[in-house]
Amino acid sequence: MAPQISPSILSADFARLAEEAKAVEGADWLHVDVMDNHFVPNLTLGVPVVESLARATDTPLDCHLMIEAPDRWAPQYVEAGAGSVTFHVEAATAPVRLAREIRAKGARASMALRPATPIEPYEDLLPELDMLLIMTVEPGFGGQAFLDIMLPKIRRTRELINKHGLELWLQVDGGVSASTIEQCADAGADVFVAGSAVYGAPDPTEAVRALRKQAEAAASRASWLHDH
């Protein structure tokens, strides 16, 4: 699959969200970080803002729920217009049931892992998912430095995906920029969340294009692609 870029509006100007969404309309997704000040120590936005964003842009919304009780709340984000909904396995009570409910409502189901959460215990869940998100920073705040110790975990996850022959997207989120995206693509990621690397750039549209070009070049050389 061709690499996809998902700019994070956590790094955008919250007073101008509709305009900021339009500024990256060349992106594959618009990444929307939902935080509840419980699962992570930060508070961002919720269902009403997602509904408004869905009306304001043609770019599909990729909602990352960093919240407690995602089993209760995640389906509402599909109804609000999200094309993909990510829940944290550390917060979910019944991840398989939740993934199936998200899919049944018409969105892509995605599961996220915090940096300290290993992938191996969840190998049997992978066929229930459309995407797996490996956090490359601790969730909660934008602008953090990329944790390169996550690269082996990305590689192991890609190996599991290939082992089972799954059409499962592998997303990374946290510190993704021009200086880290190639490492992530080489390790096996194919969906890249970029916040300040896009919205901190003079031209966000050009930043998306440049990141995609870097990821494509790195992926074309990656051993995991040619071994599969």
Side-chain angles (χ1 to χ4, degrees):
M1 189 195 76
Q4 300 185 69
I5 307 297
S6 184
S8 171
I9 62 163
L10 187 63
S11 298
D13 180 350
F14 273 32
R16 299 169 53 249
L17 280 186
E19 294 164 59
E20 296 281 61
K22 284 185 167 56
V24 294
E25 284 192 335
D28 301 282
W29 295 87
L30 188 63
H31 191 81
V32 182
D33 287 306
V34 177
M35 307 184 195
D36 64 356
N37 210 25
H38 294 284
F39 182 70
V40 290
N42 198 1
L43 188 64
T44 54
L45 43 81
V47 169
V49 176
V50 170
E51 287 177 337
S52 296
L53 269 173
R55 290 193 298 268
T57 180
D58 292 330
T59 308
L61 302 184
D62 166 26
C63 284
H64 176 195
L65 308 185
M66 287 169 270
I67 62 175
E68 291 182 351
D71 304 75
R72 175 184 177 190
W73 298 112
Q76 295 186 29
Y77 286 89
V78 184
E79 292 163 9
S84 176
V85 176
T86 301
F87 60 88
H88 268 267
V89 71
E90 303 91 352
T93 304
V96 171
R97 185 175 66 200
L98 180 54
R100 289 179 178 179
E101 187 175 0
I102 291 168
R103 279 176 154 181
K105 284 185 174 289
R108 296 179 62 86
S110 172
M111 188 173 81
L113 307 180
R114 297 180 90 136
T117 303
I119 179 58
E120 288 77 7
Y122 304 106
E123 181 176 352
D124 292 343
L125 272 66
L126 296 181
E128 301 288 340
L129 303 168
D130 297 297
M131 184 168 73
L132 189 90
L133 166 55
I134 292 179
M135 292 297 299
T136 43
V137 298
E138 282 296 338
F141 294 93
Q144 297 184 65
F146 178 79
L147 294 173
D148 58 4
I149 57 168
M150 291 296 104
L151 291 169
K153 182 176 170 181
I154 297 168
R155 290 183 192 281
R156 291 196 304 274
T157 304
R158 173 53 64 187
E159 287 166 5
L160 290 176
I161 292 169
N162 289 352
K163 171 184 163 185
H164 293 283
L166 300 172
E167 295 293 323
L168 179 65
W169 298 355
L170 181 51
Q171 185 180 61
V172 286
D173 179 6
V176 175
S177 67
S179 59
T180 59
I181 194 167
E182 292 180 32
Q183 298 172 69
C184 294
D186 180 68
D190 51 18
V191 184
F192 306 89
V193 178
S196 43
V198 170
Y199 280 112
D203 183 343
T205 302
E206 173 58 25
V208 169
R209 192 196 66 78
L211 287 170
R212 183 184 284 112
K213 191 174 178 182
Q214 277 189 277
E216 287 171 350
S220 69
R221 299 189 299 266
S223 59
W224 62 266
L225 188 66
H226 301 292
D227 294 345
H228 184 36

